[in-house]
């Protein structure tokens, strides 16, 4: 269990805060070098909104830090259920049922349009909600069974999948494949540290590998079957990823320009205000290509190093706490950020398929940034309330 400490400020991880600050500063600089997002927004307005979201996110981060994370065990299902209800309402809107403030964009039913605030994406907040819910499940299961048997391990895996599947399915239906994959990654990371036997882990890893192999078999040989599961634009992203030159005038356009931008940066970049390579909507999912283009291999390496330091500090927090619940929360956050970073940077380099996942703390976007700031607040809260022992 965590403990309340009137001197929490003496245990704040200022290194983690400084890394987030540097990422935020980098985000503003990179967005300023991105092309005009669309006809209704200017780069100046985008920067102003990003600053506003960072301010709001910082306030929320402080509130989460002050709140004793251990009390989330009693609130886990309320938070999970509330966000799940929002996801269900978006699917209802997709089916034609009127839902106040529900918003559709480019065929995706993923947002609520709130007056005076803008669009809010509930799927982003489901990431932290799922981490808290699964952390509570694993903690209480382990607290109940000191020496679990194979059947009890299977019971735990069943609880985890029953909890993780509804949000995964609802997000996939929106459709939002990228966020659904992040929810899957969170679930996998937490299963990995849940203490179940290795044979169950190896079995699940094997099933994942077989699932990926089956997907590509169907993609190349029976695409009609995948058409009944995934949206056309989602399959188009895989086509653009595998052969962007064939679709250079449409679905492969963004990836080709991303590769061109990264390649043109060379060692030290094209410099500030360079417009030799135009990358549409580079301020969102392809912000890494903008950074690599303008600041080169050196600038991209600095960004990757900052992201590595971010993960490293959270790993330290997970190892430092003696509260298993806190460890599970940190592990879920590590899984969320690690997969997101790897997928986002990988898709700009054609290493991973294009999924529309924003780069944490760098891409423009309110919901994703706010969710990540909540996650940082949780990590800071866990670290500040960690007990210290003489022989640690």
């Amino acid at each position: 269990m965590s403990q309340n400490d009137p001197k929490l400020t003496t245990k704040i991880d200022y290194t983690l805060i400084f890394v987030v600050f540097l990422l935020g500063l980098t985000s503003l600089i990179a967005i300023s070098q991105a092309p005009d997002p669309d006809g209704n927004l200017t780069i100046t307005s985008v920067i102003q909104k990003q600053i506003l979201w960072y301010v709001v996110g910082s306030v929320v981060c402080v509130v989460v830090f002050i709140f004793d994370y251990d009390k989330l065990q009693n609130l886990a299902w309320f938070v999970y259920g509330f966000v799940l209800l929002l996801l269900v309402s978006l699917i209802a809107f997709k089916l034609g049922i009127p839902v106040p403030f529900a918003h559709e964009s480019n065929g995706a039913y993923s947002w609520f349009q709130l007056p005076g605030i803008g669009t809010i994406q509930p799927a982003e907040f489901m990431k932290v909600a799922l981490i808290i819910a699964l952390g509570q499940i694993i903690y209480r299961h382990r607290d109940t069974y000191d020496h679990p048997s194979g059947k009890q391990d299977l019971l735990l895996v069943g609880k985890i999948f029953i909890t993780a599947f509804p949000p995964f399915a609802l997000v996939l239906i929106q459709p939002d494949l990228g966020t659904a994959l992040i929810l899957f990654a969170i679930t996998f990371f937490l299963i990995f540290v849940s203490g179940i036997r290795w044979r169950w882990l190896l079995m699940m890893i094997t099933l994942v590998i077989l699932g990926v192999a089956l997907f590509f078999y169907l993609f190349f040989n029976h695409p009609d079957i995948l058409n009944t599961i995934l949206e056309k634009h989602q399959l188009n992203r895989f086509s653009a990823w595998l052969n962007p030159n064939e679709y250079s005038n449409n679905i492969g356009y963004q990836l080709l320009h991303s590769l061109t931008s990264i390649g043109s940066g060379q060692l030290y970049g094209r410099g500030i205000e360079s417009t030799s390579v135009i990358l549409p909507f580079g301020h969102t999912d392809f912000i890494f290509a903008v950074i690599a283009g303008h600041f080169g291999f050196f600038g991209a390496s600095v960004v990757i190093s900052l992201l590595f330091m971010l993960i490293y500090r959270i790993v330290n927090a997970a190892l430092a706490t003696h509260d298993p619940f806190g460890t599970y929360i940190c592990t879920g956050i590590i899984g969320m950020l690690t997969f997101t970073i790897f997928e986002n940077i990988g898709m700009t380099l054609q290493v991973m398929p294009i999924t529309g996942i924003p780069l944490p703390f760098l891409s423009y976007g309110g919901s994703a940034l706010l969710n990540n700031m909540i996650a940082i607040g949780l990590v800071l809260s866990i670290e500040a309330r960690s007990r210290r022992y003489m022989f640690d």
Side-chain angles (χ1 to χ4, degrees):
M1 293 293 180
S2 65
Q3 65 177 11
N4 290 317
D5 189 334
K7 297 181 180 179
L8 289 178
T9 54
T10 63
K11 299 180 180 180
I12 293 177
D13 187 345
Y14 291 103
T15 301
L16 178 59
I17 295 175
F18 185 60
V19 170
V20 172
F21 170 77
L22 291 178
L23 288 171
L25 187 61
T26 303
S27 172
L28 298 178
I29 295 172
I31 289 174
S32 71
Q33 303 305 306
D36 191 9
D38 58 42
N40 300 319
L41 292 173
T42 63
I43 286 298
T44 301
S45 64
V46 169
I47 293 174
Q48 290 173 344
K49 287 188 175 182
Q50 187 76 341
I51 293 174
L52 177 61
W53 279 115
Y54 255 106
V55 171
V56 173
S58 298
V59 173
V60 172
C61 180
V62 171
V63 172
V64 173
F65 164 72
I66 295 173
F67 184 80
D68 187 350
Y69 75 93
D70 193 55
K71 295 179 181 178
L72 288 174
Q73 290 196 56
N74 299 322
L75 298 174
W77 293 109
F78 173 79
V79 175
Y80 172 88
F82 176 72
V83 183
L84 192 68
L85 181 62
L86 294 178
L87 294 177
V88 170
S89 64
L90 287 173
I91 300 305
F93 178 64
K94 182 177 182 178
L95 296 176
I97 301 174
V99 176
F101 307 116
H103 178 69
E104 176 269 338
S105 178
N106 297 323
Y109 296 78
S110 304
W111 299 272
F112 286 98
Q113 182 76 45
L114 302 180
I117 297 177
T119 55
I120 296 294
Q121 188 175 2
E124 287 291 339
F125 302 105
M126 177 49 77
K127 298 173 186 176
V128 167
L130 182 63
I131 289 171
I132 296 170
L134 294 184
Q136 189 246 33
I137 287 174
I138 298 171
Y139 174 78
R140 294 198 172 176
H141 184 90
R142 289 303 170 200
D143 192 48
T144 303
Y145 303 105
D146 292 333
H147 303 286
S149 63
K151 290 183 179 180
Q152 290 162 352
D153 279 348
L154 190 59
L155 175 63
L156 175 57
V157 173
K159 292 178 183 177
I160 291 173
F161 275 109
I162 289 173
T163 304
F165 181 76
F168 174 83
L170 290 171
V171 171
L172 193 62
I173 293 171
Q174 287 184 353
D176 186 353
L177 177 61
T179 304
L181 289 176
I182 295 174
L183 296 178
F184 179 85
I186 289 169
T187 305
F188 179 81
F189 268 71
L190 283 170
I191 289 176
F192 188 80
V193 299
S194 65
I196 67 171
R197 286 163 172 75
W198 276 99
R199 64 172 177 266
W200 294 116
L201 287 174
L202 292 174
M203 187 181 299
M204 284 185 282
I205 292 172
T206 301
L207 289 175
V208 170
I209 294 173
L210 291 175
V212 173
L214 176 62
F215 172 84
F216 282 104
Y217 172 78
L218 294 176
F219 182 83
F220 289 110
N221 298 285
H222 302 283
D224 53 311
I225 297 178
L226 288 180
N227 284 329
T228 63
I229 303 174
L230 299 176
E231 299 285 339
K232 183 178 179 181
H233 76 90
Q234 291 175 324
L235 291 177
N236 285 342
R237 287 179 172 179
F238 283 93
S239 300
W241 168 50
L242 295 171
N243 194 359
N245 291 304
E246 185 178 341
Y247 306 95
S248 58
N249 293 324
N250 41 63
I251 58 178
Y253 180 86
Q254 187 82 352
L255 177 56
L256 286 175
H257 279 67
S258 171
L259 294 172
T260 302
S261 177
I262 294 172
S264 67
Q266 299 186 39
L267 187 59
Y268 295 109
R270 302 190 306 269
I272 301 293
E273 304 297 338
S274 170
T275 57
S276 59
V277 178
I278 300 298
L279 184 61
F281 300 99
H283 63 300
T284 54
D285 303 338
F286 285 82
I287 194 71
F288 182 79
V290 173
I291 293 170
H294 285 277
F295 306 103
F297 177 81
F298 178 77
S301 298
V302 170
V303 167
I304 292 175
S305 298
L306 287 174
L307 293 170
F308 174 82
M309 180 60 69
L310 178 77
I311 301 297
Y312 173 74
R313 296 306 305 176
I314 302 175
V315 170
N316 272 355
L319 295 174
T321 180
H322 293 274
D323 176 21
F325 181 58
T327 300
Y328 297 141
I329 290 179
C330 287
T331 301
I333 292 172
I334 291 167
M336 175 185 74
L337 293 176
T338 300
F339 178 82
T340 305
I341 292 167
F342 182 78
E343 165 60 27
N344 178 276
I345 294 178
M347 76 179 187
T348 65
L349 295 166
Q350 204 185 353
V351 175
M352 297 291 288
I354 300 172
T355 56
I357 294 177
L359 188 57
F361 302 102
L362 292 166
S363 293
Y364 168 75
S367 298
L369 179 56
L370 188 56
N371 173 74
N372 291 330
M373 293 299 281
I374 292 173
I376 295 300
L378 284 172
V379 173
L380 293 172
S381 177
I382 292 167
E383 275 196 297
R385 292 173 172 83
S386 296
R387 290 186 175 94
R388 298 292 187 268
Y389 296 96
M390 182 179 296
F391 298 105
D392 275 354

